[in-house]
Amino acid sequence: MPRPVTLFTGQWADLPLAELAPLARSMGYDGVELACWGDHFDVDQAVSSAQYVRDKWALLESHGLTCLAISSHLVGQAVCDAIDERHRAILPPDVWGDGEPEGVRRRAAQKMITTARAARALFDARPGAPRGTLPVVNGFTGSSVWHAVYPFPPTPQTYWQKGFDDFARRWLPILEAFDQANVNFGLEVHPTEIAFDIASAERAIAAVHGHRRFGFNYDPSHLGYQGVDYVKFIRTFGGRIFHVHMKDAWWGHGDGSVGVFGGHTSFGDPRRQWDFRSLGHGDIRFEDVIVALNDVGYRGPLSVEWEDIRMDRAHGAAEAAAFVRRLDFATSGVAFDAAFARQDDKADR
């Protein structure tokens, strides 16, 4: 069976879910990946009110939609980050508090623990779902050492190791809460996070001692423009790919005045060397991605994270849903060359 095609609601949080749900269905989606911001999914209400999660399912199902994951990128980012005034704009007031950095980080960690419990409450309330369905929370981790990724002043390995130790210290209690709730956490490997390529992802796994709840929300768009082999990522971490974002990017564009770091330019600036694009309009080889996902046995949703400043989002998201449906295919149940075998050979098998 084809994988479910879902829409990540994070870039649509300006719309109430009651408006977005029928739009998502009309654009061709099977379900949504609910963002924990806007009014799409409130983790505190989810753990305190059984009626709240029942109402979410009633709304989704009234429009023929399902939900297979939730996402808490904004709060997760604050767990390990060096907190500054930019975080205030993305964090709930109860997490920001007085803005004192260590207090923000601790409250963000506690909110992620609540998020694990909220995910369990949501998926336990899904009508007709078997008890114990394994939900996924996608998100970011933040990083105390991302600012040192380009090593000047010279950065010794001991400095970077302190960053991975800090990540482990802050995230292991969170992962234990995820384990108690029977929920997986999928880090979206991404510049600014503790893991942003294959090597740092391996180091992050080692830092949390291979914790079974720590895996990845795979998104090739964040790897391709860095020059990271995004197909190799799938084959390296197949068993830890808990969820997949379908998002495109192009690179090698611009006018040569802005490099791969993006400089101090905004998305959509024509000088940029790379930018996010709607699916099928960039440089990601999505057929290679599907083949690799099939090879590692990934059967979860393909969730469109739609970002393209050059295109109307309703047009682009509808086009993206159709693109994913055309692209996705199941693995073969038979060997293509079996038909060439002689009948007596088949009888001997």
Side-chain angles (χ1 to χ4, degrees):
M1 294 292 290
R3 284 166 277 234
V5 180
T6 59
L7 178 69
F8 176 40
T9 70
Q11 287 76 16
W12 308 73
D14 57 307
L15 296 180
L17 186 60
E19 292 182 24
L20 178 57
L23 177 60
R25 186 61 181 172
S26 71
M27 292 189 297
Y29 290 94
D30 300 313
V32 288
E33 173 195 347
L34 287 174
C36 297
W37 58 90
D39 82 333
H40 296 184
F41 190 66
D42 184 307
V43 300
D44 294 309
Q45 289 195 63
V47 298
S48 63
S49 170
Q51 189 61 49
Y52 177 81
V53 291
R54 286 196 295 265
D55 288 346
K56 286 294 176 188
W57 282 116
L59 172 61
L60 294 177
E61 293 196 336
S62 70
H63 297 290
L65 296 173
T66 189
C67 177
L68 299 165
I70 65 172
S71 287
S72 187
H73 291 70
L74 308 186
V75 170
Q77 184 70 35
V79 174
C80 289
D81 258 13
I83 303 298
D84 61 41
E85 65 273 12
R86 296 170 302 155
H87 292 81
R88 185 172 190 171
I90 67 171
L91 292 174
D94 64 318
V95 174
W96 177 256
D98 61 4
E100 189 276 320
E102 184 57 23
V104 172
R105 287 188 284 265
R106 290 176 178 171
R107 289 187 291 273
Q110 186 57 52
K111 186 74 79 172
M112 291 305 298
I113 289 172
T114 301
T115 302
R117 297 167 181 161
R120 172 48 58 203
L122 177 67
F123 285 88
D124 279 353
R126 180 182 177 184
R131 194 80 175 169
T133 297
L134 187 61
V136 178
V137 174
N138 300 314
F140 290 153
T141 60
S143 171
S144 64
V145 291
W146 166 254
H147 68 282
V149 70
Y150 195 90
F152 192 84
T155 307
Q157 283 295 328
T158 52
Y159 185 96
W160 278 318
Q161 187 57 46
K162 288 179 182 178
F164 283 91
D165 292 344
D166 178 74
F167 157 68
R169 178 173 63 86
R170 296 180 187 278
W171 274 91
L172 276 170
I174 299 171
L175 294 171
E176 282 302 298
F178 271 74
D179 200 30
Q180 292 169 14
N182 193 25
V183 176
N184 283 338
F185 176 74
L187 166 62
E188 187 166 339
V189 174
H190 184 296
T192 75
E193 306 314 308
I194 195 65
F196 51 89
D197 58 13
I198 292 173
S200 55
E202 290 173 331
R203 196 165 179 174
I205 292 169
V208 293
H209 313 298
H211 199 290
R212 66 175 183 161
R213 298 301 181 182
F214 180 71
F216 302 114
N217 174 45
Y218 171 76
D219 185 332
S221 71
H222 302 300
L223 301 171
Y225 70 81
Q226 293 187 71
V228 177
D229 188 332
Y230 51 86
V231 176
K232 181 178 180 179
F233 187 99
I234 297 171
R235 300 190 185 282
T236 302
F237 302 111
R240 290 187 183 268
I241 294 178
F242 297 153
H243 191 264
V244 169
H245 270 179
M246 299 290 277
K247 187 166 72 171
D248 211 344
W250 70 7
W251 53 91
H253 295 264
D255 67 358
S257 61
V258 178
V260 71
F261 298 129
H264 297 152
T265 60
S266 300
F267 289 117
D269 190 314
R271 296 171 295 172
R272 287 176 60 91
Q273 193 265 356
W274 71 271
D275 227 326
F276 295 124
R277 296 304 317 273
S278 191
L279 285 165
H281 295 275
D283 296 316
I284 298 294
R285 305 185 312 275
F286 281 103
E287 185 166 338
D288 292 358
V289 168
I290 294 296
V291 168
L293 290 174
N294 284 344
D295 286 349
V296 301
Y298 176 79
R299 299 305 306 155
L302 301 175
S303 186
V304 171
E305 183 181 15
W306 193 86
E307 293 182 356
D308 189 333
I309 203 166
R310 293 171 169 83
M311 187 181 292
D312 173 78
R313 68 178 176 178
H315 170 87
E319 184 184 66
F323 176 86
V324 175
R325 290 199 189 282
R326 289 194 305 270
L327 184 75
D328 192 23
F329 52 86
T331 56
S332 174
V334 297
F336 72 89
D337 55 354
F340 302 136
R342 296 182 307 179
Q343 291 301 314
D344 55 345
D345 288 340
K346 291 181 182 178
D348 292 338
R349 291 177 184 175

